[in-house]
Amino acid sequence: MKFHMQVPKKRKPKRRWLKFLIPALLLSIIGSFYYLNMKLKPVYMNYAEVQTHKIAAHVISQAIQSRSESVLDANDVLLNLPNDSSETVTLKVDTETINQVMAELHELVEEHLDRAESGDLEMLPQSDGIQFDTEEMEKHGGVVFFVPIGQVADIPLLGNLGPKIPIRFHIVGNVHADVDTKLKEFGINNVYMEVNMELTVNVQIIIPIATKQSTVVQQFPIAIGIIQGVVPQIYTKGGQSPANIEIPMQDVKKP
């Protein structure tokens, strides 16, 4: 009579710890990326804002330079009003001429910004380390450019290496224009006059982890010059100094 005896098989240890290790690793990776993003977010946004302001300012300058007569003489935007006195001069700012110049410049700036957003590289600065995505700009609009992560994070060892971060900005609303007039005393009864046009452009900056609205302000002169007034026969330099008297030559009798 034969007996068969079964030998119990050794059970393999259950790897239950794998069920906890894999999710823990995934959570650690996700947490690390989230932490790095939160730390680098202000750095990315600050860099994107600086570059956006440079690009927008460059486009506006291109528009101003394209005008045939960029800066007028101050006397060209003034009107001489008649009065009964021969010793005084009454001047008035020619608002019609200034408004005409402002309208022309405003149209040029908007046209250049539209061309930049549509991918016209002639409107954009050719800076080292910035690569524009013209295909994306033509499809969806806005100025889109890439910068290496080493340049954004200011890591000299990486330089232009590493992954590139996309940055996009759109012009929000219309370009706002305003006039600022500055007057300064110059010499004897003369005035230095400067008429400036101030342009305000609102832009929406978009980076992979955040978005922000910013304002680009650019000021440039419309008219500059010295307005000459009537020089008086008697004038003082102020303070306790005695008066300086000017005697006309025709009143001096020869001996």
Side-chain angles (χ1 to χ4, degrees):
M1 190 176 210
K2 293 182 181 180
F3 293 95
H4 295 281
M5 196 173 173
Q6 285 185 342
V7 181
K9 294 181 179 179
K10 293 183 179 180
R11 294 182 179 179
K12 294 182 180 179
K14 295 183 178 179
R15 298 181 180 179
R16 295 180 179 178
W17 53 273
L18 289 176
K19 297 180 180 180
F20 301 98
L21 179 60
I22 295 176
L25 286 175
L26 292 175
L27 289 175
S28 299
I29 294 172
I30 294 172
S32 299
F33 274 110
Y34 180 78
Y35 177 78
L36 288 174
N37 281 337
M38 293 303 295
K39 287 293 183 182
L40 294 176
K41 176 181 174 180
V43 178
Y44 293 156
M45 183 56 71
N46 182 65
Y47 184 87
E49 191 170 9
V50 170
Q51 294 301 326
T52 297
H53 280 233
K54 286 183 180 179
I55 295 171
H58 176 83
V59 176
I60 293 173
S61 298
Q62 290 280 93
I64 302 306
Q65 293 174 8
S66 67
R67 188 171 179 268
S68 57
E69 192 174 7
S70 56
V71 182
L72 300 175
D73 187 273
N75 295 279
D76 295 335
V77 295
L78 293 173
L79 297 176
N80 193 350
L81 300 180
N83 57 56
D84 299 332
S85 175
S86 59
E87 297 180 357
T88 60
V89 177
T90 304
L91 299 173
K92 176 185 177 183
V93 176
D94 188 359
T95 55
E96 185 177 350
T97 300
I98 291 178
N99 289 337
Q100 183 179 354
V101 174
M102 284 184 61
E104 182 182 347
L105 292 174
H106 188 274
E107 184 179 355
L108 281 172
V109 169
E110 287 194 333
E111 178 188 346
H112 279 63
L113 288 172
D114 289 340
R115 289 175 59 184
E117 284 195 319
S118 62
D120 190 346
L121 290 179
E122 292 184 2
M123 300 294 104
L124 300 170
Q126 302 303 316
S127 304
D128 295 334
I130 296 181
Q131 177 185 353
F132 293 98
D133 189 348
T134 54
E135 184 177 350
E136 181 68 18
M137 292 162 65
E138 291 174 359
K139 288 182 179 179
H140 302 99
V143 177
V144 184
F145 57 98
F146 296 95
V147 289
I149 189 172
Q151 187 173 343
V152 176
D154 196 17
I155 303 175
L157 293 177
L158 292 180
N160 291 329
L161 303 176
K164 294 184 178 180
I165 301 173
I167 299 173
R168 178 195 297 268
F169 73 86
H170 293 273
I171 306 299
V172 181
N174 297 324
V175 179
H176 178 71
D178 200 3
V179 176
D180 178 33
T181 303
K182 296 180 181 178
L183 299 174
K184 184 179 179 181
E185 184 179 351
F186 183 82
I188 302 172
N189 220 20
N190 297 329
V191 175
Y192 171 80
M193 180 177 179
E194 188 174 315
V195 181
N196 296 317
M197 180 177 177
E198 187 175 270
L199 282 174
T200 304
V201 181
N202 294 320
V203 295
Q204 186 74 31
I205 305 172
I206 303 171
I207 61 176
I209 53 178
T211 180
K212 179 183 179 181
Q213 192 170 96
S214 183
T215 302
V216 180
V217 180
Q218 189 83 351
Q219 189 179 79
F220 49 88
I222 295 178
I224 296 177
I226 297 174
I227 305 167
Q228 295 182 347
V230 179
V231 179
Q233 298 296 325
I234 300 176
Y235 65 94
T236 62
K237 296 181 180 179
Q240 301 297 325
S241 301
N244 296 284
I245 302 176
E246 179 180 319
I247 303 176
M249 292 301 297
Q250 60 267 24
D251 293 342
V252 180
K253 296 182 181 180
K254 295 181 180 180

